[in-house]
Amino acid sequence: MPDPVRVRIAPSPTGNLHLGTARTALYNYLYARHHQGTFVFRLEDTDEERSNEAYTQDIIQGLRWLGLTWDEGPDIGGPFAPYRQTEKVDHYNNIANHLIAQGRAYHCYCTPAELDEMREEQKAAGGLSRYDNRCRHIAPEKRHAFEAAGRIPSIRFRIDEPRVISWHDAIKGEINIDSSDLGGDMVIVKSNGVAIYNFAVVIDDTDMKMTHVIRGEDHIHNTAKQLLIYDALSQQPPFFAHAALIFDIDRRKLSKRHHGEAVHVDRYRQDGYMPEAMVNYLAQMSWTPSDGREIFTLEEGCKLFDLARVSKSPAVFDVQRLLWFNGHYIRSLPLPLITDRAKPFLEAFDLSSYSRAELESIVACVRDSLSTLSEIAPATKFFFDTAVDIPAELKETLIAKESSQKVLSVLHEKISQLPFGNSAGCKAVVDAIGKDLGVKGKELYWPVRAALSGSTSGPDLGTILSILGAARVKSRIEATLICHTK
Ligand code: GLU
């Protein structure tokens, strides 16, 4: 029996939740759920200068918004908190000292200035920048001199060269990395006592019994380094899977530097995207279920997910496609849910003049036309306005026409006959007026639409009448008749 699957998302809180991290979290989540395993969230927050609590909160909220709930962590009442690496600083140091005792790591006394100088020389000589392992065999007198001068050492891990580090990647297949390409012996604990990512991650993944590490392919060289550390610690490494990175439609890697807020998951929440659409879009970006379906829920994705079907080629983030998914979910999620989600976008309006059922009808009559919920305010504004703003051009060319005035005044007379709350019934009254007056199509509907909503297009006319109710319909029609006679 293989060990139960344990996977994790391990972001560093040095920035807001990035789309790439969200996709990695999603793949880990899908993998865990597919195998009835455990999904862990661990904050790799050892880089104190670049980490901050606002980023941490953004990542936590973003994962929750996407519905990627994790199964373990400190119990703070309610959902679990994430694990944090900063809680384990002493543990990392003890293990680093153990590696020193075994001769697999050593103290390095190089100062930043000396390292810079070394790199400059390498550059001038046309070589690649790497640590030249100068402290690996430091003479005892030199060490004493450095210590006497107050230098505080970092700890470096020995990377023996040449050596080929190989693994079978669950997405990319066979990978071979030459240890000479890893930049020389690597720092694992900085002189301030803080463990470096490549070291802490191995200890954490071991301690947390991770069976699989699924992450972006920008970590492939890190994986090679980490495999050397697993080996030095005599620990069995997890299986690795590296997903191809995400690019924009112009083939540029998605990055905060180039794309700013467009890579920030919360921006999509703020702009009225559905988490169901984000999850579906991100999941299918580099993975197609075996039955070829494009639209699937998170739950369905869990059932269908298969790492072996994740593409090796770069994923392309195309916001137009995401909008297509979003429109689909705005149209198809339950109306009460969409209404609740729409409310923050309708904040500018006084919603109290409509009942909950009417509000749902308002959302229902426009939702097919929306690709994000942020579009709902302009689409429904006329329902809430006390007076409709009819563009001057429409007043002159449409409302002022004799036939329009006729339609509007007859409708005004027949307001009491409109069966409000019944769209088809309301539409039938308008059609009957058209029949009596011998007008139809645009000539009949457009003046009514313009009078009620300020536009000749929009939701179904019967629905508009039905939701607006007698008082609003009356005052709006009167406004157009008065406007004409002025
Ligand atoms: N902290 C690393 C990052 O943010 C995690 C990589 C990993 O999954 O090991 O990219």
Side-chain angles (χ1 to χ4, degrees):
M1 260 296 265
D3 289 337
V5 163
R6 289 180 59 82
V7 291
R8 82 303 190 273
I9 181 70
S12 307
T14 53
N16 288 319
L17 182 62
H18 185 290
L19 285 172
T21 311
R23 188 195 56 164
T24 301
L26 175 58
Y27 284 173
N28 279 283
Y29 178 92
L30 293 171
Y31 193 75
R33 294 287 173 269
H34 184 81
H35 294 277
Q36 287 85 45
T38 303
F39 174 56
V40 169
F41 172 21
R42 180 177 75 223
L43 279 166
E44 306 212 310
D45 56 351
T46 53
D47 186 343
E48 279 171 24
E49 280 153 37
R50 293 175 60 226
S51 300
N52 84 39
E53 193 52 31
Y55 292 144
T56 295
Q57 290 310 321
D58 182 86
I59 296 169
I60 294 176
Q61 296 312 330
L63 292 175
R64 288 206 177 121
W65 178 66
L66 292 169
L68 307 181
T69 44
W70 51 100
D71 306 315
E72 282 183 4
D75 187 354
I76 48 163
F80 291 114
Y83 291 117
R84 289 177 190 249
Q85 280 189 328
T86 34
E87 284 154 9
K88 295 175 67 178
V89 172
D90 292 344
H91 181 54
Y92 304 132
N93 276 290
N94 291 340
I95 295 178
N97 286 326
H98 167 75
L99 287 176
I100 294 178
Q102 286 185 323
R104 305 295 297 255
Y106 58 88
H107 284 126
C108 167
Y109 293 87
C110 295
T111 62
E114 285 165 354
L115 294 172
D116 282 347
E117 195 185 324
M118 175 193 76
R119 286 189 206 105
E120 284 307 317
E121 281 167 15
Q122 288 167 341
K123 219 159 93 186
L128 282 178
S129 154
R130 50 167 288 142
Y131 184 58
D132 60 8
N133 303 345
R134 63 179 69 170
C135 285
R136 206 193 255 195
H137 302 293
I138 194 170
E141 312 78 63
K142 210 164 173 191
R143 172 198 305 272
H144 293 317
F146 283 147
E147 279 172 4
R151 287 199 190 189
I152 304 190
S154 60
I155 301 176
R156 278 189 193 266
F157 179 78
R158 281 174 65 131
I159 295 185
D160 294 328
E161 300 171 31
R163 177 173 166 181
V164 177
I165 304 147
S166 309
W167 72 94
H168 182 84
D169 194 274
I171 296 174
K172 300 197 86 69
E174 265 333 284
I175 297 190
N176 298 299
I177 305 271
D178 189 333
S179 66
S180 321
D181 294 335
L182 298 179
D185 292 347
M186 64 169 157
V187 172
I188 53 172
V189 178
K190 290 196 282 189
S191 56
N192 64 4
V194 171
I196 290 279
Y197 158 70
N198 270 319
F199 183 53
V201 74
V202 170
I203 297 170
D204 286 337
D205 285 340
T206 303
D207 290 350
M208 295 181 178
K209 301 191 169 24
M210 291 300 146
T211 55
H212 298 73
V213 166
I214 306 167
R215 59 188 170 199
E217 69 179 2
D218 48 339
H219 284 289
I220 281 187
H221 278 78
N222 285 335
T223 299
K225 292 176 183 175
Q226 291 166 24
L227 281 167
L228 294 175
I229 299 175
Y230 279 105
D231 184 52
L233 296 175
S234 306
Q235 293 293 343
Q236 176 73 27
F239 293 102
F240 289 99
H242 291 86
L245 300 183
I246 309 176
F247 289 74
D248 67 15
I249 49 173
D250 299 320
R251 308 276 153 188
R252 275 195 314 181
K253 196 176 119 182
L254 271 202
S255 70
K256 186 167 144 189
R257 195 152 61 93
H258 287 120
H259 302 89
E261 275 295 281
V263 300
H264 181 190
V265 169
D266 196 56
R267 200 212 85 179
Y268 294 89
R269 183 188 62 77
Q270 290 174 31
D271 286 355
Y273 285 77
M274 302 295 95
E276 294 81 358
M278 290 299 288
V279 153
N280 190 164
Y281 180 64
L282 289 174
Q284 60 77 57
M285 214 182 227
S286 353
W287 163 63
T288 317
S290 52
D291 59 8
R293 74 175 91 168
E294 268 182 325
I295 296 276
F296 48 87
T297 63
L298 184 57
E299 220 181 326
E300 289 163 343
C302 293
K303 289 200 189 100
L304 298 163
F305 192 66
D306 180 1
L307 258 187
R309 292 187 59 85
V310 172
S311 165
K312 293 185 181 53
S313 332
V316 175
F317 181 78
D318 176 357
V319 80
Q320 292 308 322
R321 249 183 90 61
L322 172 59
L323 284 167
W324 180 83
F325 276 88
N326 206 45
H328 166 81
Y329 282 97
I330 290 178
R331 286 192 298 280
S332 55
L333 284 168
L335 184 59
L337 177 68
I338 294 295
T339 306
D340 287 340
R341 289 185 184 171
K343 277 170 106 175
F345 295 93
L346 299 171
E347 243 172 27
F349 307 134
D350 175 14
L351 304 186
S352 66
S353 55
Y354 288 100
S355 66
R356 168 74 195 194
E358 286 166 338
L359 192 59
E360 288 189 6
S361 305
I362 291 174
V363 173
C365 77
V366 295
R367 69 165 160 174
D368 286 4
S369 67
L370 307 176
S371 46
T372 69
L373 279 186
S374 59
E375 294 164 4
I376 200 166
T380 58
K381 183 173 180 295
F382 71 89
F383 280 110
F384 303 97
D385 281 345
T386 34
V388 174
D389 195 13
I390 305 172
E393 202 215 320
L394 269 189
K395 280 188 194 161
E396 284 156 27
T397 59
L398 180 68
I399 300 282
K401 268 171 65 179
E402 205 185 319
S403 72
S404 301
Q405 284 294 306
K406 195 91 205 139
V407 168
L408 290 167
S409 56
V410 177
L411 181 60
H412 185 252
E413 282 160 24
K414 302 212 162 157
I415 286 176
S416 61
Q417 293 176 22
L418 288 164
F420 294 103
N422 168 356
S423 330
C426 288
K427 175 83 180 339
V429 172
V430 177
D431 286 337
I433 294 173
K435 219 165 168 194
D436 284 353
L437 296 177
V439 288
K440 55 180 186 187
K442 290 180 190 173
E443 221 185 327
L444 171 64
Y445 302 130
W446 280 18
V448 183
R449 282 185 165 282
L452 299 178
S453 71
S455 166
T456 52
S457 60
D460 168 68
L461 180 57
T463 308
I464 296 178
L465 281 160
S466 160
I467 297 173
L468 283 174
R472 291 189 195 87
V473 169
K474 184 165 181 287
S475 69
R476 289 174 192 210
I477 292 181
E478 280 168 6
T480 55
L481 296 172
I482 292 161
C483 138
H484 175 66
T485 51
K486 255 201 253 179

